[in-house]
Amino acid sequence: MSQVYDPREIEKRWQAKWHEDRTFRTPNPGDSDFDPDRPKYYVLDMFPYPSGAGLHVGHPIGYIGSDVVARRARMQGHNVLHPMGFDAFGLPAEQYAIETGVHPGEFTRANIDTYRRQLQMLGLSYDWDRELATCDPEYYRWTQWIFTRLFDRGLAYQAEVPVWWCEALKTVLANEEVINGRSERGDHPCERRMLKQWMLRITAYADRLIDDLDHVDWPDSVKTMQREWIGRSEGAEVDFRLELEGAEPLTVFTTRPDTLHGATFMVLAPEHPMVAALATEDQRSAVQEYVRQAQVKSDLERTDLAKSKTGVFTGSYALNPLLDPSSPEARVPIWVADYVLMGYGTGAIMAVPGHDERDHEFATQYGISISQVVAPEGGEPDPEVCFTGSGVAVNSGELDGLSTEDAKARAIELLSELGTGRPKVTYRLRDWLFSRQRYWGEPFPVVHAEDGAVHRVSDDELPIQLPDVDDYAPAADGSAPLARATEWLKASTADGAPATRDTDTMPGWAGSCWYYLRFMDPHNATAPFDEEVQRYWGNVDLYVGGVEHAVLHLLYSRFWHKVLYDEGLVSTPEPFQKLFNQGMLTAFAYKDSTGRLIPTDQVDVSEEGGKSKETGEPLDQVISKMSKSLRNVVNPDEVIEEYGCDTFRLYEMFMGPLSDSKPWNPRDVPGCRRFLDRVWRLFVDEAGDSSVRGQLLEEDCEGEATEALERHLNRAIKRINDSFGPFNFNTGIASLMTFVNEATKAPEAFTRSQAQRFALALSPFAPHITEELWSRLGGEESVSKATWPEVDDRFLQDAEYELVVQIRGKLRGKVMVPKGADKGALEAAAREAVEELLAGQEVVKVVVVPERLVNFVVK
RNA sequence: GGGGGAGUGGCGGAAUCGGUAGACGCAUCGGCCUUAAAAGCCGAAGUCCGCAAGGACGUCCGGGUUCGAGUCCCGGCUCCCCUACCA
């Protein structure tokens, strides 16, 4: 039998054995083999949406990183929960179904199979017994169950909200599907329509979603993004009386009630319900035309800062509540402009052009008067400048002289006394639009009674399964595909009255809101998860995924988790204790002299750089995202086929810190394979016929060379350990390489114990080769169940070290000195080393840093 | 416009507290082995000047603090990611 390293054979064999032995099965509390004495560790990857294209080499980098963590945690004696599943409802499968008529479930299953195969090929130590897919009725049964809890708590409601409607496609489109007011697919015109939609009252949790960020170990950037997304701002609501007969006052929200005296006009969002009533006879047609145009503008167009602001005067006036109604300043014109958004605050503002950039721009453009009511601290108001900072109130009646902070408080007091204002906290965060008129999603577990009342179905009716339909596209009248399932629609209320089912489905985010909880107890048929099991696993200790989910998924998930916490179903207020974002894996792409991108398969790569295969023209190498259109996507199957999975894993971890974005360089991959070859040959004589070198089966030898290796090995294990904090496994791997380089120079000094510890330390990164070597060394059980090696501090220190000698901070010599030598001895040794250079110089100062250097400062 | 991150050899990157800049890997060059090549093993290598010993310069640019700065402070440039009229 050949003793040559053959990763293909080894990897296949061990993967089969892991599968057969269920090596990575994780027992739960209650299972016979569960060991309650071990601490728990839950390390989770953000599960993927299984697209038709399969994985490219960028996808698994986070999975490999978390697998390395999981494997070491197991070896350190933890009960490790490390599962994988699939986020399987969603638009791509649905679109494919509409185009082909194939059931989206069928398409999704096939994609899941591809993904599972690819993931298993990577040797990831998931407990596959816990695999789940969000489109499985046994899973979405509990997604619906959780929805009913939200419904019971009044957190789910239906409301008329503006949504994008495309007449040509007869469907509602998501914001990101609309570009410049036209559909992304087909380029058809779109408009906003008021439609009845399911909403989740996430705003009720806004403060807790902000405050509890203080208790999780997340990157500051992500915390900041979430805080800003929620966008809490404190201010006041102010009522402006209208001149219009019998009209209710117009309420605005402002964060600067102190500037009320400087409000020279008001602005309503085009969608504001009072717009029509406020448009006077001679302004009516202009207002109507403006509102119509705003309707078809996309969010992007409306918010494009490069554009100048637009608006139109309604013809009506309001009265400033803090001014004498008879004074001319009290009377402010009301405008309509699309820089005011209906979705924020009250959809109406008091405009203070003296102290707000946007209002200033608008006022300047339309010739509206500007007044200064805040002066900079210790300065005079400058009518030329829009001063948005804090200062002192001026021209503001009894607020005059107060600091901005005090003036705000005083203004709110005055308004409260008058009954025309009140303190108010507003959030940028809106309630969550939770329904889509689509097929491939969770049906809502509710029925509509004939009287219009909405009843949630009882728990024992769940799951409300998706019915089969023959056409997945929305109907011509815009109704959802589920409306076609006429039989399925027939239902009844709890007391037997006839009712119809809801034809909307939940959005793609729903299933991913709680999957980490289902992983704890994935086959539970009577509850989403067992309470005791949940209490044991607690929350996710380490959650690894891309920054693209920094806001939405993580916010929605935290919201659901908090609702479940309030229900008493989960024991922690937050779902993910530590969050880690892996960096993006980029790839080389090539540009010609005109800046056009050339697909990688049309480029000749040589030492001098890239050249076009077609024209021979030299090309510029740039680094960019992997994408189909650049044809610079690298497929992991091919890399594994050529070099083996251990090489692939090792390379991805060796490229650099896990959090950094870095380019895949095919030329670097063989270096990692060479390292594994060297490891193999250190253990196995490829020319011989024994399973490992003879000395590795014998008692440890001793000697100077062995002791030197021992120092390298301990240093390597220490650096590996250190690399788990910042996730820079590249440094740990580098020290393993150094060890192998040293051991290769003195192979006879390499002992059995060192071989074992080395295999253990390498095993999280290269699990297959180490599994093989471990068993060849006589290991009976999987290397993944062995104990992580200890570092012996005695071997981290050398008896001597190299002392650096500097003159005026410049390196001028080096000298070996014994460890622990006192400063005087160090200085003497250093002085001797640079004696000639110091001759005739006046030393004015000597800096002695033990363990480091001696610096002579000369004149 | 706002927020976050980064800038070190030909390339990916290393440098724990302010203390030898460039670990480890790739690419390159040389040697050994071989009839030869590949593989493997051993070694060289920041740039410039010099036969050499040696010297000067060097972590995006300009200042500063310090015996000493890739690291700390001030000012500027470039790139990447996120976000964007939120009153």
Side-chain angles (χ1 to χ4, degrees):
Chain A
M1 188 182 141
S2 164
Q3 297 298 332
V4 172
Y5 175 45
D6 178 2
R8 254 184 279 180
E9 187 275 328
I10 289 170
E11 290 169 3
K12 212 176 116 188
R13 182 153 46 78
W14 282 104
Q15 285 180 7
K17 181 149 172 65
W18 294 337
H19 185 73
E20 199 177 304
D21 295 353
R22 296 167 86 199
T23 304
F24 301 113
R25 185 184 146 268
T26 307
N28 259 1
D31 289 345
S32 58
D33 53 345
F34 175 74
D35 179 356
D37 294 334
R38 291 168 173 256
K40 70 98 185 180
Y41 193 75
Y42 186 0
V43 46
L44 181 68
D45 295 300
M46 291 185 186
F47 69 164
Y49 176 82
S51 79
L55 293 173
H56 69 56
V57 295
H59 295 119
I61 194 162
Y63 304 156
I64 295 170
S66 65
D67 194 59
V68 166
V69 171
R71 283 177 179 270
R72 188 179 75 135
R74 251 181 233 114
M75 294 170 79
Q76 289 178 319
H78 292 82
N79 280 330
V80 173
L81 181 56
H82 188 46
M84 181 45 90
F86 300 97
D87 188 16
F89 274 133
L91 281 174
E94 174 144 8
Q95 201 56 40
Y96 180 82
I98 292 171
E99 284 161 18
T100 63
V102 173
H103 191 285
E106 212 175 288
F107 178 68
T108 302
R109 296 259 157 243
N111 289 347
I112 287 177
D113 289 343
T114 303
Y115 264 65
R116 189 190 303 105
R117 181 187 61 75
Q118 285 190 307
L119 291 169
Q120 287 179 343
M121 201 171 62
L122 295 169
L124 301 168
S125 62
Y126 295 126
D127 178 357
W128 284 104
D129 289 353
R130 294 176 187 255
E131 178 188 340
L132 57 80
T134 54
C135 64
D136 185 333
E138 278 314 299
Y139 181 86
Y140 71 67
R141 167 182 183 180
W142 301 108
T143 308
Q144 291 171 334
W145 186 92
I146 294 170
F147 176 85
T148 61
R149 277 22 187 203
L150 285 146
F151 183 89
D152 289 348
R153 290 184 155 253
L155 295 169
Y157 62 96
Q158 286 187 292
E160 293 274 340
V161 292
V163 290
W164 281 109
W165 169 259
C166 178
E167 183 58 31
L169 297 174
K170 304 280 182 205
T171 186
V172 162
L173 296 174
N175 265 333
E176 54 272 24
E177 294 174 301
V178 180
I179 296 166
N180 293 329
R182 304 183 77 86
S183 65
E184 186 189 19
R185 216 181 299 275
D187 196 34
H188 304 293
C190 301
E191 61 175 24
R192 285 170 187 283
R193 272 197 189 173
M194 297 300 281
L195 287 174
K196 201 174 199 184
Q197 303 285 326
W198 280 101
M199 306 293 289
L200 295 187
R201 214 178 293 280
I202 189 171
T203 49
Y205 282 72
D207 282 331
R208 284 165 68 187
L209 289 169
I210 289 175
D211 295 343
D212 288 353
L213 286 172
D214 293 341
H215 309 301
V216 291
D217 180 10
W218 286 18
D220 285 337
S221 57
V222 176
K223 288 189 184 185
T224 303
M225 276 151 102
Q226 293 225 342
R227 286 197 191 98
E228 286 179 356
W229 186 263
I230 297 166
R232 181 188 155 100
S233 56
E234 289 175 24
E237 272 186 353
V238 183
D239 304 327
F240 281 70
R241 234 171 64 219
L242 296 172
E243 286 187 336
L244 188 69
E245 280 298 310
E248 290 289 307
L250 188 59
T251 304
V252 302
F253 172 73
T254 178
T255 54
R256 294 294 300 272
D258 60 306
T259 61
L260 194 45
H261 289 82
T264 55
F265 61 105
M266 301 186 74
V267 185
L268 303 185
E271 298 85 358
H272 196 283
M274 307 263 294
V275 167
L278 288 170
T280 55
E281 197 75 35
D282 43 342
Q283 289 297 98
R284 186 155 299 146
S285 63
V287 169
Q288 277 171 355
E289 175 57 18
Y290 185 78
V291 169
R292 200 189 58 75
Q293 281 187 8
Q295 230 170 32
V296 297
K297 269 197 203 176
S298 70
D299 279 1
L300 211 71
E301 282 176 298
R302 276 180 66 160
T303 57
D304 186 355
L305 284 169
K307 279 196 181 139
S308 56
K309 293 187 171 28
T310 60
V312 51
F313 179 45
T314 60
S316 296
Y317 292 82
L319 294 168
N320 189 320
L322 286 191
L323 297 180
D324 176 357
S326 60
S327 81
E329 292 85 44
R331 196 165 176 260
V332 290
I334 304 172
W335 289 65
V336 178
D338 66 6
Y339 80 90
V340 172
L341 309 174
M342 191 57 218
Y344 185 76
T346 62
I349 63 162
M350 62 176 216
V352 185
H355 306 285
D356 181 285
E357 297 281 1
R358 300 152 299 182
D359 298 342
H360 187 89
E361 188 193 329
F362 192 83
T364 309
Q365 194 162 332
Y366 289 95
I368 303 168
S369 66
I370 298 171
S371 59
Q372 308 287 327
V373 292
V374 184
E377 197 78 50
E380 290 294 309
D382 178 352
E384 297 303 309
V385 174
C386 172
F387 176 64
T388 58
S390 290
V392 179
V394 293
N395 305 324
S396 295
E398 68 170 282
L399 301 179
D400 281 354
L402 294 177
S403 71
T404 295
E405 198 188 334
D406 294 342
K408 281 182 186 176
R410 182 67 189 134
I412 292 173
E413 255 174 49
L414 290 171
L415 290 165
S416 299
E417 282 162 22
L418 291 166
T420 56
R422 59 214 71 87
K424 172 80 181 174
V425 176
T426 301
Y427 301 89
R428 208 190 81 114
L429 180 72
R430 319 286 157 82
D431 275 345
W432 177 9
L433 196 156
F434 194 67
S435 52
R436 303 178 311 134
Q437 291 67 53
R438 298 292 180 114
Y439 176 76
W440 192 230
E442 299 87 349
F444 282 87
V446 298
V447 295
H448 299 266
E450 286 179 336
D451 61 3
V454 181
H455 305 266
R456 66 101 143 171
V457 304
S458 64
D459 290 349
D460 54 18
E461 284 179 73
L462 298 178
I464 304 300
Q465 293 223 30
L466 266 178
D468 282 327
V469 296
D470 22 289
D471 185 357
Y472 303 103
D477 62 356
S479 60
L482 289 186
R484 290 202 194 88
T486 46
E487 278 308 304
W488 176 84
L489 286 177
K490 288 177 193 159
S492 55
T493 63
D495 43 20
T500 51
R501 297 203 182 282
D502 198 286
T503 58
D504 286 355
T505 52
M506 300 183 198
W509 304 105
S512 61
C513 272
W514 73 286
Y515 74 110
Y516 59 95
L517 291 167
R518 185 65 177 174
F519 275 140
M520 295 176 183
D521 195 11
H523 308 295
N524 195 322
T526 56
F529 45 85
D530 179 79
E531 277 183 51
E532 189 203 329
V533 167
Q534 189 283 324
R535 264 200 308 280
Y536 177 73
W537 290 116
N539 57 6
V540 176
D541 294 282
L542 175 65
Y543 195 28
V544 178
V547 255
E548 64 271 21
H549 293 117
V551 177
L552 296 182
H553 160 62
L554 287 170
L555 198 64
Y556 293 154
S557 232
R558 294 178 63 219
F559 165 48
W560 276 38
H561 192 91
K562 287 181 185 306
V563 175
L564 295 175
Y565 181 74
D566 292 348
E567 281 277 322
L569 292 164
V570 297
S571 56
T572 62
E574 282 288 328
F576 312 116
Q577 197 51 45
K578 182 180 173 79
L579 175 71
F580 182 84
N581 298 126
Q582 81 273 13
M584 194 180 33
L585 199 55
T586 51
F588 296 127
Y590 297 88
K591 271 184 180 171
D592 66 15
S593 53
T594 65
R596 199 168 56 100
L597 286 155
I598 310 296
T600 308
D601 56 5
Q602 289 170 27
V603 178
D604 256 332
V605 183
S606 67
E607 268 166 60
E608 301 88 63
K611 273 187 180 171
S612 165
K613 278 187 185 168
E614 217 176 304
T615 63
E617 183 194 357
L619 302 170
D620 277 345
Q621 192 186 61
V622 293
I623 287 172
S624 77
K625 264 185 197 181
M626 279 194 194
S627 83
K628 257 193 205 165
S629 55
L630 296 177
R631 274 187 269 171
N632 63 354
V633 174
V634 183
N635 183 320
D637 298 41
E638 290 163 20
V639 180
I640 289 170
E641 173 65 21
E642 188 168 358
Y643 298 103
C645 155
D646 282 335
T647 296
F648 179 79
R649 292 174 58 115
L650 197 71
Y651 174 59
E652 293 225 333
M653 294 301 102
F654 184 63
M655 292 172 78
L658 194 55
S659 56
D660 286 6
S661 144
K662 49 213 171 267
W664 175 274
N665 188 347
R667 300 228 277 184
D668 287 343
V669 179
C672 287
R673 169 59 190 265
R674 266 201 289 269
F675 167 66
L676 293 179
D677 285 334
R678 285 160 72 89
V679 169
W680 181 264
R681 286 196 300 268
L682 194 54
F683 282 71
V684 180
D685 176 8
E686 291 186 319
D689 54 7
S690 44
S691 60
V692 286
R693 293 179 185 278
Q695 88 220 38
L696 300 183
L697 294 173
E698 290 159 17
E699 284 300 304
D700 289 356
C701 55
E702 277 175 42
E704 227 171 90
T706 296
E707 207 184 302
L709 284 187
E710 195 60 32
R711 279 195 289 273
H712 282 289
L713 182 58
N714 278 278
R715 210 169 292 152
I717 297 169
K718 173 155 196 322
R719 288 193 70 184
I720 293 268
N721 284 336
D722 291 346
S723 71
F724 278 75
F727 293 89
N728 55 354
F729 300 124
N730 53 320
T731 61
I733 294 168
S735 67
L736 291 176
M737 288 174 171
T738 304
F739 174 80
V740 170
N741 290 344
E742 295 303 316
T744 300
K745 286 178 205 162
E748 71 294 335
F750 184 50
T751 66
R752 173 175 173 77
S753 146
Q754 289 170 343
Q756 287 174 327
R757 282 173 289 149
F758 178 85
L760 292 170
L762 178 61
S763 68
F765 306 96
H768 309 82
I769 187 175
T770 48
E771 196 78 273
E772 177 69 16
L773 294 173
W774 182 253
S775 92
R776 284 175 179 232
L777 288 171
E780 306 255 314
E781 253 203 320
S782 166
V783 69
S784 67
K785 305 208 168 178
T787 303
W788 184 253
E790 294 285 328
V791 175
D792 186 340
D793 286 337
R794 283 178 304 154
F795 291 105
L796 294 180
Q797 322 250 316
D798 294 318
E800 290 193 310
Y801 64 93
E802 197 177 56
L803 181 74
V804 166
V805 186
Q806 297 179 335
I807 298 175
R808 267 207 259 129
K810 299 231 176 208
L811 177 67
R812 282 295 180 270
K814 295 172 187 177
V815 59
M816 292 305 292
V817 295
K819 191 149 198 134
D822 64 34
K823 284 192 172 189
L826 292 176
E827 185 180 334
R831 200 175 278 276
E832 197 188 325
V834 291
E835 208 173 5
E836 289 167 29
L837 295 165
L838 285 178
Q841 306 242 41
E842 189 194 341
V843 176
V844 293
K845 187 175 176 183
V846 182
V847 181
V848 181
V849 185
E851 315 261 309
R852 294 271 178 210
L853 55 74
V854 174
N855 187 12
F856 295 101
V857 185
V858 298
K859 267 213 167 152

